[in-house]
Amino acid sequence: MLTGAKWIWEENNRSDNDWVYFRKNFKVEKEGDYILSISADTRYFLYINQNLCVLDGGLFRDAYGENSGYADKVAITDFIKAGVNVMEILVWHYGNGGRNNVPLKSAGLIFACEELALYSDSATKCLRHPCYFETDKAEPSYLYGGFNIGYNANYRINDEMLKDAVEYCWEDFGSLYERPVPLFSFSPVISAEYRKSDGRYVLKLPTALHVMAYMEVEAEGNETIEIRNDRYTVNGGPGDEMNQYAGHMTEYICQKGYNQYLNYDYMACEELHFYIPDSVSIIRLGYRICEYDTKLMGVMHTDNEEVNTLMKKCARTLKFCMRDNFMDCPDRERGQWIGDVSVQAPQIFYTLDRNAVLLLKKAIHNFISLRKGDCLVGNVPGIHSSELPSQSLNAISELGMISVYYEFTGDREILEMAFEPMVRYLRLWDMNEEGIVESRTGDWYWFDHLYNQDKIVLENTWYYMALSFAKRVGECLSRLEYHDFLTNRMASMEQKFEEHFWKGNYYGVGEIVDERANALAVLSGLAKREHYEDIKKILITTYNCTPYMEVYVSEALFKMGYTRSAFRRIMNRYMPLIQNENATLWEDFAILGTRNHAWSGGPMTLFYRYLAGVKIDCGEKVVYLCPDFTIIREQKYSMQVAGGILQVEMICEENVLQIKIDNKTPYQVRIEKINLPEGMEEDILRQLPMVF
């Protein structure tokens, strides 16, 4: 992929927050399809013949093991011409790490296009960019990498300043793998209206976006402009809400006269804030959208406007939390908490295109490949990786991201990669003399934020569901060497769970009545059906959990058949988030941590799964629909299934049921069952087609 190329940089490639400009001329003698392979630590910006080709290139390390990274493949055919071409690359080396990146102390760039004999080497010209400087403002939070940007427009690059690049040793940069996800998409510069408020110019975005700020101004010279956003400081999560975490900001020093500037650092926000002195005249303020390249399909629309708002916010939250990896919150820490990804996973298949699935596959590879011995950890890649046993168990459970990925793709290769590490992780637990699981605290014995957590019951139910999925995977792959281990442990827990934890009207270990624990008892299948009425009373009256566990509590109500109670609980809990001004869903229902959080989008999964009744069978190549019209009377949505588009429109009103299904997928669509409103004649079902 990069044979013949050398890692290059300016003299001294060991400085943090280093910006280096590269230029290479090359000749094109014949037409063809040309691909440039390129990797840089940490981010790069590629121009050919002064045309922007890549905005924010590169993916954070590590890839498939320690000291490993990614190489991008860039189609450059549309940017080149016959004769001499000029390639320019600006590279920003972080040198520090965070919750989604591992730092490489050696800065470097490498590129190659064999068909054009175009390689990085000492003949490449370069210069440490004179405009960039380190600001004296407080540095961003340790939670994610990178630095504030300082840019002084009074400096210039001219040809006489350029020097030959220095070649560096391959071993400093480890192994490279082809980028498994698409390059980030970017828009043209978008001009936007703004208002002045409290000494700043506020530019409101149409929704929550990843953007790079842009401005054109006229200045007297040496004025300082600061660029921030509405998420510059963000509160910690529940239990940590008194602390604040700072994001990135930019300090721009104007040259005399006309200034044009694109800020090469994305901000995840709903507003951009420009602090501009009065002596500076604004010509234009705007931004480029720069985000993960995936498209929202037709998000579910119903006859209930509050549901519609919730679905839109779920969808926007999902996309907002995607970039190099799935992020819990791109405005505070950007960590790939693996329990959060398990909440996000079903939403991907319901509302996004296939590009999004590639990021989920990458998340699974990160989780399995970057484990610590037999320990499966979260927040990988990143320097703050840690084992939260409940989240790791979630990821490998019947409810988790690997199970969901396989359900919707049928990709056995993922199962083959994950099976052995899953079982080895499950072997880290011991069973006690009573036949239940001995607790493992890991790095953080966490099951949810906030109150009244029954951690013993929660750990046992998560563990049981992980055993169950591992057993199913082993049978699917005909890997039966661990069958007895998995089966015997499941049998022991099935036998002892009721005896050990049922307290007469709830599952627990003491006097704490935890809706989370009782919900997982239902979802795991360990709860007895005769207890459902007692469990229902708990789930409709107890509100301890955050949105992370709310999805499982509400799903347990659906699972037990209490559809109306499940719907009522979701709408009651989410109403403050539906009604607030933000385009995304908060981290909690009442405590303002982040204004968007990956774990909060669970209602989307539940409404598609139980109200639209969507189920995919990759083996049979069938999409099953079991719509429920007892609560909502109208369902419209689009999904991408196996590369094709499925559009569904169903309206149930005045004893008339209209069904329109446009199936352009390779799968058959079958309507298995329809739940009609009370009093509606079921005879109308006989007149409708059930297979599409």
Side-chain angles (χ1 to χ4, degrees), residues 151-163:
Y151 189 91
N152 190 333
N154 289 293
Y155 296 98
R156 294 284 184 278
I157 292 176
N158 57 57
D159 292 348
E160 292 74 24
M161 300 168 67
L162 298 176
K163 58 185 77 172

PDB file of all heavy atoms in Angstrom, residues 151-163:
ATOM      1  N   TYR A 151      -3.356  31.215  15.625  1.00  0.00           N
ATOM      2  CA  TYR A 151      -3.001  31.465  14.219  1.00  0.00           C
ATOM      3  C   TYR A 151      -2.759  32.959  14.024  1.00  0.00           C
ATOM      4  O   TYR A 151      -3.639  33.783  14.279  1.00  0.00           O
ATOM      5  CB  TYR A 151      -4.121  30.997  13.286  1.00  0.00           C
ATOM      6  CG  TYR A 151      -3.754  31.028  11.817  1.00  0.00           C
ATOM      7  CD1 TYR A 151      -3.187  29.907  11.210  1.00  0.00           C
ATOM      8  CD2 TYR A 151      -3.968  32.171  11.049  1.00  0.00           C
ATOM      9  CE1 TYR A 151      -2.844  29.931   9.864  1.00  0.00           C
ATOM     10  CE2 TYR A 151      -3.633  32.202   9.705  1.00  0.00           C
ATOM     11  CZ  TYR A 151      -3.069  31.074   9.125  1.00  0.00           C
ATOM     12  OH  TYR A 151      -2.716  31.092   7.798  1.00  0.00           O
ATOM     13  N   ASN A 152      -1.547  33.291  13.584  1.00  0.00           N
ATOM     14  CA  ASN A 152      -1.167  34.679  13.341  1.00  0.00           C
ATOM     15  C   ASN A 152      -1.063  34.906  11.838  1.00  0.00           C
ATOM     16  O   ASN A 152      -0.156  34.404  11.172  1.00  0.00           O
ATOM     17  CB  ASN A 152       0.165  34.994  14.008  1.00  0.00           C
ATOM     18  CG  ASN A 152       0.497  36.474  13.987  1.00  0.00           C
ATOM     19  OD1 ASN A 152       0.048  37.211  13.102  1.00  0.00           O
ATOM     20  ND2 ASN A 152       1.278  36.919  14.959  1.00  0.00           N
ATOM     21  N   ALA A 153      -2.007  35.667  11.290  1.00  0.00           N
ATOM     22  CA  ALA A 153      -2.099  35.847   9.838  1.00  0.00           C
ATOM     23  C   ALA A 153      -1.029  36.784   9.281  1.00  0.00           C
ATOM     24  O   ALA A 153      -0.969  36.995   8.064  1.00  0.00           O
ATOM     25  CB  ALA A 153      -3.488  36.360   9.480  1.00  0.00           C
ATOM     26  N   ASN A 154      -0.187  37.347  10.132  1.00  0.00           N
ATOM     27  CA  ASN A 154       0.837  38.272   9.660  1.00  0.00           C
ATOM     28  C   ASN A 154       2.023  37.553   9.001  1.00  0.00           C
ATOM     29  O   ASN A 154       2.879  38.220   8.413  1.00  0.00           O
ATOM     30  CB  ASN A 154       1.350  39.132  10.819  1.00  0.00           C
ATOM     31  CG  ASN A 154       0.312  40.148  11.275  1.00  0.00           C
ATOM     32  OD1 ASN A 154      -0.024  41.074  10.544  1.00  0.00           O
ATOM     33  ND2 ASN A 154      -0.229  39.947  12.474  1.00  0.00           N
ATOM     34  N   TYR A 155       2.080  36.239   9.142  1.00  0.00           N
ATOM     35  CA  TYR A 155       3.195  35.488   8.557  1.00  0.00           C
ATOM     36  C   TYR A 155       2.780  34.883   7.220  1.00  0.00           C
ATOM     37  O   TYR A 155       1.609  34.684   6.928  1.00  0.00           O
ATOM     38  CB  TYR A 155       3.672  34.407   9.518  1.00  0.00           C
ATOM     39  CG  TYR A 155       4.238  34.973  10.804  1.00  0.00           C
ATOM     40  CD1 TYR A 155       3.457  35.048  11.953  1.00  0.00           C
ATOM     41  CD2 TYR A 155       5.552  35.448  10.861  1.00  0.00           C
ATOM     42  CE1 TYR A 155       3.966  35.570  13.133  1.00  0.00           C
ATOM     43  CE2 TYR A 155       6.070  35.977  12.037  1.00  0.00           C
ATOM     44  CZ  TYR A 155       5.270  36.032  13.169  1.00  0.00           C
ATOM     45  OH  TYR A 155       5.775  36.556  14.332  1.00  0.00           O
ATOM     46  N   ARG A 156       3.791  34.555   6.395  1.00  0.00           N
ATOM     47  CA  ARG A 156       3.571  33.985   5.064  1.00  0.00           C
ATOM     48  C   ARG A 156       4.522  32.817   4.844  1.00  0.00           C
ATOM     49  O   ARG A 156       5.584  32.724   5.468  1.00  0.00           O
ATOM     50  CB  ARG A 156       3.837  35.032   3.975  1.00  0.00           C
ATOM     51  CG  ARG A 156       2.882  36.208   3.946  1.00  0.00           C
ATOM     52  CD  ARG A 156       1.532  35.795   3.330  1.00  0.00           C
ATOM     53  NE  ARG A 156       0.666  36.964   3.222  1.00  0.00           N
ATOM     54  CZ  ARG A 156      -0.054  37.438   4.233  1.00  0.00           C
ATOM     55  NH1 ARG A 156       0.005  36.873   5.412  1.00  0.00           N
ATOM     56  NH2 ARG A 156      -0.824  38.496   4.064  1.00  0.00           N
ATOM     57  N   ILE A 157       4.147  31.952   3.925  1.00  0.00           N
ATOM     58  CA  ILE A 157       5.053  30.912   3.426  1.00  0.00           C
ATOM     59  C   ILE A 157       5.454  31.301   2.013  1.00  0.00           C
ATOM     60  O   ILE A 157       4.595  31.604   1.178  1.00  0.00           O
ATOM     61  CB  ILE A 157       4.378  29.535   3.423  1.00  0.00           C
ATOM     62  CG1 ILE A 157       4.117  29.052   4.852  1.00  0.00           C
ATOM     63  CG2 ILE A 157       5.229  28.506   2.671  1.00  0.00           C
ATOM     64  CD1 ILE A 157       3.360  27.745   4.932  1.00  0.00           C
ATOM     65  N   ASN A 158       6.762  31.332   1.746  1.00  0.00           N
ATOM     66  CA  ASN A 158       7.213  31.532   0.372  1.00  0.00           C
ATOM     67  C   ASN A 158       8.194  30.426  -0.006  1.00  0.00           C
ATOM     68  O   ASN A 158       8.696  29.694   0.865  1.00  0.00           O
ATOM     69  CB  ASN A 158       7.834  32.920   0.170  1.00  0.00           C
ATOM     70  CG  ASN A 158       8.993  33.169   1.118  1.00  0.00           C
ATOM     71  OD1 ASN A 158       9.954  32.406   1.145  1.00  0.00           O
ATOM     72  ND2 ASN A 158       8.905  34.253   1.892  1.00  0.00           N
ATOM     73  N   ASP A 159       8.445  30.278  -1.277  1.00  0.00           N
ATOM     74  CA  ASP A 159       9.252  29.166  -1.772  1.00  0.00           C
ATOM     75  C   ASP A 159      10.641  29.122  -1.149  1.00  0.00           C
ATOM     76  O   ASP A 159      11.197  28.035  -0.911  1.00  0.00           O
ATOM     77  CB  ASP A 159       9.376  29.233  -3.295  1.00  0.00           C
ATOM     78  CG  ASP A 159       8.051  28.966  -3.997  1.00  0.00           C
ATOM     79  OD1 ASP A 159       7.116  28.516  -3.304  1.00  0.00           O
ATOM     80  OD2 ASP A 159       7.940  29.217  -5.208  1.00  0.00           O
ATOM     81  N   GLU A 160      11.233  30.279  -0.879  1.00  0.00           N
ATOM     82  CA  GLU A 160      12.596  30.310  -0.344  1.00  0.00           C
ATOM     83  C   GLU A 160      12.671  29.711   1.059  1.00  0.00           C
ATOM     84  O   GLU A 160      13.742  29.280   1.501  1.00  0.00           O
ATOM     85  CB  GLU A 160      13.113  31.758  -0.304  1.00  0.00           C
ATOM     86  CG  GLU A 160      13.357  32.394  -1.666  1.00  0.00           C
ATOM     87  CD  GLU A 160      12.068  32.758  -2.378  1.00  0.00           C
ATOM     88  OE1 GLU A 160      11.034  32.950  -1.685  1.00  0.00           O
ATOM     89  OE2 GLU A 160      12.076  32.843  -3.624  1.00  0.00           O
ATOM     90  N   MET A 161      11.559  29.673   1.745  1.00  0.00           N
ATOM     91  CA  MET A 161      11.545  29.150   3.113  1.00  0.00           C
ATOM     92  C   MET A 161      11.500  27.628   3.146  1.00  0.00           C
ATOM     93  O   MET A 161      11.835  27.016   4.163  1.00  0.00           O
ATOM     94  CB  MET A 161      10.336  29.714   3.865  1.00  0.00           C
ATOM     95  CG  MET A 161      10.310  31.224   3.969  1.00  0.00           C
ATOM     96  SD  MET A 161       8.711  31.874   4.544  1.00  0.00           S
ATOM     97  CE  MET A 161       8.662  31.265   6.218  1.00  0.00           C
ATOM     98  N   LEU A 162      11.047  27.007   2.071  1.00  0.00           N
ATOM     99  CA  LEU A 162      10.864  25.556   2.066  1.00  0.00           C
ATOM    100  C   LEU A 162      12.201  24.828   2.085  1.00  0.00           C
ATOM    101  O   LEU A 162      13.187  25.287   1.517  1.00  0.00           O
ATOM    102  CB  LEU A 162      10.049  25.138   0.849  1.00  0.00           C
ATOM    103  CG  LEU A 162       8.631  25.702   0.766  1.00  0.00           C
ATOM    104  CD1 LEU A 162       7.975  25.291  -0.545  1.00  0.00           C
ATOM    105  CD2 LEU A 162       7.788  25.240   1.952  1.00  0.00           C
ATOM    106  N   LYS A 163      12.193  23.672   2.728  1.00  0.00           N
ATOM    107  CA  LYS A 163      13.407  22.861   2.821  1.00  0.00           C
ATOM    108  C   LYS A 163      13.072  21.412   2.539  1.00  0.00           C
ATOM    109  O   LYS A 163      11.886  21.019   2.495  1.00  0.00           O
ATOM    110  CB  LYS A 163      14.033  23.006   4.203  1.00  0.00           C
ATOM    111  CG  LYS A 163      13.111  22.608   5.341  1.00  0.00           C
ATOM    112  CD  LYS A 163      13.723  22.884   6.718  1.00  0.00           C
ATOM    113  CE  LYS A 163      13.648  24.341   7.066  1.00  0.00           C
ATOM    114  NZ  LYS A 163      14.055  24.622   8.459  1.00  0.00           N
TER     115      LYS A 163
END
